[in-house]
Amino acid sequence: MGLFSKENRATFLAPLGVNNPVTVQVLGICSALAVTAQSEPALVMGFSVTIIVALANVIISLLRNTIPNRIRIIVQLVVVATLVTIVSECLKAFAYDVSVQLSVYVGLIITNCILMGRLEAFAMANGPWESFLDGLGNGFGYAIILVVVAFFRELLSAGTLLGFTVIPESFYELGYLNNGLMLMPPMALIIVGGIIWAQRAKNPELQD
Amino acid sequence: MNALRNLLDKIKPTFSEGGKLSMFRSVFDGFETFLFVPNSTSKSGAHIHDAVDSKRIMIMVVIALMPALLFGMYNVGYQHYLSIGQHEVTSFFEIFFYGLLAVLPKIIVTYLVGLGIEFTVAQFKGEEIHEGFLVTGIILPMIVPVDCPLWILALATAFAVIFAKEIFGGTGMNIFNVALIARAFLFFAYPSKMSGDSVWIRTDSTFGIGEGAVVDGFTGATPLGQVAVSTGSEAQITDALGNASSIWDAVIGLVPGSIGETSVIAIALGAILLLVTRIASWKVMLSIFASGALTAFLFNIAGLDNPVANLPWYYHLSLGGFAFGAVFMATDPVTSARTETGKWIYGILIGFMAIVIRVLNPGYPEGMMLAILLMNGLAPAIDYFVVQRNVSMRAKRAKIQK
């Protein structure tokens, strides 16, 4: 089987669209609401989760035949916790401001349902390369939603993107106002809901 | 009447399936049933039809809102001329005309946006136009401050109609009161335009009418806002010029506030109409006022060092949105509890929560909006427990007879 065979491409691409972990499987919602008030933390968060899912998938996939079934959750947690700690320390070393903004949510990646879901559902039953692609795909699928939500929230709540002012001053002089509700997590939930709505309207096979 | 009927019958084929303007058939149908009670009946099954259909109920609620709306317009003008020191030299009609000009754009904007979305959705889904927005569109301009900009009002209307109503399935299916969701959206999204001291009284001229400089010592805070920020244990309520206001100003309604909420008398007129026509539930209204009065009274005698807690209970009932919310918003038959026992519980908790939020949360001088929205969310649960209790009671009775 080739490295980029049809199945492998589907493994990578499905989580970006019709099998998105956030909008279709509705996993990882908690952090999607918490870190999306601004684009920068959302980008970093999406990137961190992608790395951790991909690497954890590879490691568990390599170990999958040696892990006793009864303690597999503990083993998975140890692997994930190690990776999360490494990523967290890297963030503190190289991107301290963002790691302060993300605060506990980096540590809480351990409890992100996407991680355990992929390890249990995919890495325990597939080879390391397929698991790596699956982890990348799911990480990117999660990151895309985070970035889209953060785009709307930052643009409408502060008029900026990645910290740069986008909405010109003349708009404010005409009476335009920033939307304070966008700073609050409920609005992130409504935006995620809007994305789910649009996605299901486009893909009839997702409608139940 | 007959001429109108004939005209409608004549143009009907144009709008029917296959006609030239069939793309507007839901709009035509909406207007036809608005003007005349439809004479169609169900073809299958046994149905009981009330003689009054929901369009007629909605129109009755709009009529009941008219006293509060007209008085609100007058009060907008009155507060404006008070703030520029000309309230004694300006004629009644000029004051009212100023208020009319200030309020009318809000009503037009909410109707245009709300009905626009409703008509589009109805046409898109091939359904009849729901009539629910008739009431929402008139209530919403009445529960915002006069200086709330039109564009954020339009945004809030669109948000509420789409996210509080259409996604739940349209009129009659919404969990939360649509107008209150719009107000909550405004309140949290644009707090600077929904609270504070500068939005309740329009000090500028409107369409060139009412020019004048604001007098010295002007304060634009609502009575509840003044109480919330006052220091000491007793609050002094003043009007825009700094003169003390009495309870009668609040009952008549000549105080700053959202457009339609200030006058207890005008709201009472509407309440009488709603109760006589039995559109609103007297149980909900009575229990809200009774529990609100009791809660406020308990705070009065509790001896807290908090001016809102020490505000006499009759002030609590007549200031702010308490009366308006109790009469027009909590009694919304769609979002309130449906069971008769449930209506008592629902009303008692609204009155209680509204006063508790006012007294114990310094961030929100007004608690009625949040109290009603909270109980809207709990109403289905109340109904569920009332029905379950009835079921278990009857089950017990059935056992004894065995």
Side-chain angles (χ1 to χ4, degrees):
Chain A
M1 206 158 67
L3 280 185
F4 296 101
S5 66
K6 211 172 171 190
E7 289 84 32
N8 282 354
R9 264 181 290 152
T11 305
F12 176 71
L13 289 177
L16 299 181
V18 289
N19 201 12
N20 190 287
V22 182
T23 61
V24 178
Q25 299 172 17
V26 199
L27 299 175
I29 291 289
C30 172
S31 55
L33 306 191
V35 302
T36 52
Q38 284 170 325
S39 306
E40 200 183 351
L43 265 177
V44 173
M45 183 74 177
F47 188 61
S48 312
V49 170
T50 306
I51 293 176
I52 293 170
V53 186
L55 291 183
N57 258 3
V58 172
I59 295 170
I60 292 298
S61 170
L62 289 170
L63 296 174
R64 71 184 188 279
N65 295 326
T66 56
I67 302 173
N69 202 30
R70 287 164 67 188
I71 58 160
R72 67 186 195 284
I73 301 283
I74 300 173
V75 174
Q76 289 165 6
L77 270 180
V78 168
V79 170
V80 172
T82 312
L83 289 167
V84 167
T85 311
I86 293 171
V87 167
S88 169
E89 295 299 318
C90 287
L91 282 182
K92 273 182 197 152
F94 298 109
Y96 183 71
D97 293 341
V98 179
S99 79
V100 169
Q101 276 179 311
L102 286 172
S103 65
V104 295
Y105 290 100
V106 177
L108 284 178
I109 293 176
I110 297 172
T111 61
N112 195 318
C113 317
I114 296 172
L115 276 160
M116 296 305 283
R118 289 338 289 170
L119 295 179
E120 274 285 286
F122 199 91
M124 290 298 286
N126 288 284
W129 173 244
E130 288 84 3
S131 299
F132 178 69
L133 286 179
D134 177 76
L136 271 192
N138 277 284
F140 282 137
Y142 171 79
I144 289 173
I145 303 300
L146 250 65
V147 169
V148 171
V149 174
F151 170 82
F152 286 111
R153 286 184 72 187
E154 189 179 352
L155 183 69
L156 296 175
S157 74
T160 59
L161 282 178
L162 288 171
F164 296 104
T165 307
V166 178
I167 295 178
E169 194 60 35
S170 52
F171 273 48
Y172 291 98
E173 281 159 15
L174 285 174
Y176 177 79
L177 290 165
N178 286 328
N179 188 322
L181 200 58
M182 283 286 170
L183 282 175
M184 300 181 196
M187 217 49 204
L189 194 62
I190 289 177
I191 296 174
V192 171
I195 297 172
I196 293 176
W197 184 4
Q199 193 186 14
R200 298 205 172 185
K202 250 178 89 177
N203 298 304
E205 73 268 23
L206 291 179
Q207 293 167 10
D208 33 36
Chain B
M1 269 309 189
N2 266 333
L4 193 61
R5 182 71 257 179
N6 289 337
L7 175 72
L8 282 175
D9 286 341
K10 208 177 119 192
I11 61 173
K12 194 167 188 173
T14 328
F15 288 98
S16 303
E17 200 82 50
K20 239 187 272 174
L21 294 171
S22 65
M23 56 182 299
F24 294 115
R25 66 178 181 281
S26 60
V27 178
F28 176 80
D29 180 72
F31 278 110
E32 190 193 7
T33 51
F34 178 79
L35 293 167
F36 291 97
V37 179
N39 61 0
S40 57
T41 50
S42 312
K43 298 278 189 297
S44 62
H47 295 266
I48 299 175
H49 277 265
D50 196 333
V52 182
D53 67 1
S54 57
K55 279 199 175 68
R56 261 35 70 175
I57 288 181
M58 301 282 178
I59 292 168
M60 199 54 89
V61 177
V62 171
I63 294 171
L65 282 160
M66 280 303 131
L69 179 66
L70 295 175
F71 185 86
M73 289 175 176
Y74 174 76
N75 188 42
V76 166
Y78 177 82
Q79 297 296 333
H80 168 74
Y81 283 104
L82 192 66
S83 73
I84 59 171
Q86 294 176 7
H87 63 286
E88 276 161 352
V89 296
T90 314
S91 72
F92 174 84
F93 286 105
E94 214 169 317
I95 289 176
F96 181 79
F97 190 59
Y98 179 91
L100 182 73
L101 286 183
V103 176
L104 210 52
K106 289 190 168 44
I107 300 177
I108 294 170
V109 164
T110 41
Y111 269 125
L112 276 183
V113 174
L115 288 180
I117 294 172
E118 293 251 328
F119 280 30
T120 315
V121 170
Q123 188 67 41
F124 190 65
K125 290 160 98 178
E127 290 174 355
E128 286 175 35
I129 290 170
H130 295 310
E131 48 278 90
F133 196 77
L134 205 59
V135 173
T136 309
I138 196 91
I139 283 190
L140 182 53
M142 295 173 72
I143 54 175
V144 295
V146 64
D147 263 354
C148 176
L150 293 177
W151 72 271
I152 64 174
L153 195 62
L155 193 67
T157 312
F159 176 86
V161 170
I162 294 171
F163 285 101
K165 189 158 143 195
E166 291 304 339
I167 61 168
F168 286 104
T171 299
M173 314 290 274
N174 47 313
I175 297 174
F176 297 101
N177 187 307
V178 180
L180 272 183
I181 288 287
R183 193 184 195 281
F185 177 85
L186 289 171
F187 186 81
F188 289 107
Y190 304 103
S192 67
K193 294 293 173 194
M194 286 300 288
S195 50
D197 299 348
S198 59
V199 291
W200 305 102
I201 300 175
R202 181 170 288 187
T203 49
D204 300 333
S205 59
T206 300
F207 298 118
I209 291 181
E211 298 274 2
V214 177
V215 295
D216 292 338
F218 164 78
T219 52
T222 61
L224 279 178
Q226 296 171 20
V227 176
V229 297
S230 63
T231 50
S233 61
E234 296 268 329
Q236 182 65 47
I237 300 171
T238 63
D239 66 8
L241 300 182
N243 305 318
S245 330
S246 67
I247 181 78
W248 286 112
D249 290 329
V251 171
I252 296 167
L254 291 175
V255 291
S258 296
I259 291 164
E261 72 174 16
T262 56
S263 171
V264 176
I265 294 176
I267 292 166
L269 288 176
I272 291 169
L273 181 64
L274 289 183
L275 292 178
V276 167
T277 54
R278 304 174 87 178
I279 289 171
S281 158
W282 63 272
K283 291 172 188 163
V284 173
M285 276 193 216
L286 179 69
S287 53
I288 291 176
F289 280 112
S291 86
L294 183 69
T295 313
F297 179 72
L298 290 177
F299 274 117
N300 288 165
I301 58 172
L304 298 175
D305 187 26
N306 173 343
V308 190
N310 289 332
L311 190 69
W313 59 271
Y314 45 89
Y315 270 91
H316 265 300
L317 299 195
S318 45
L319 290 179
F322 195 93
F324 190 88
V327 170
F328 293 113
M329 315 216 68
T331 55
D332 173 3
V334 175
T335 55
S336 79
R338 310 269 169 114
T339 51
E340 297 304 310
T341 321
K343 283 176 184 167
W344 287 110
I345 303 170
Y346 170 82
I348 287 169
L349 286 171
I350 287 180
F352 171 75
M353 287 304 300
I355 302 296
V356 166
I357 294 171
R358 278 184 186 183
V359 173
L360 297 182
N361 190 335
Y364 305 132
E366 176 56 288
M368 200 59 188
M369 170 181 84
L370 298 171
I372 297 176
L373 283 177
L374 177 71
M375 293 315 297
N376 279 172
L378 291 180
I382 295 173
D383 282 343
Y384 175 80
F385 286 115
V386 169
V387 170
Q388 286 305 310
R389 189 168 155 271
N390 200 22
V391 167
S392 66
M393 264 166 52
R394 293 181 71 134
K396 252 184 225 157
R397 255 205 319 260
K399 253 179 220 157
I400 294 165
Q401 281 179 345
K402 222 186 309 182

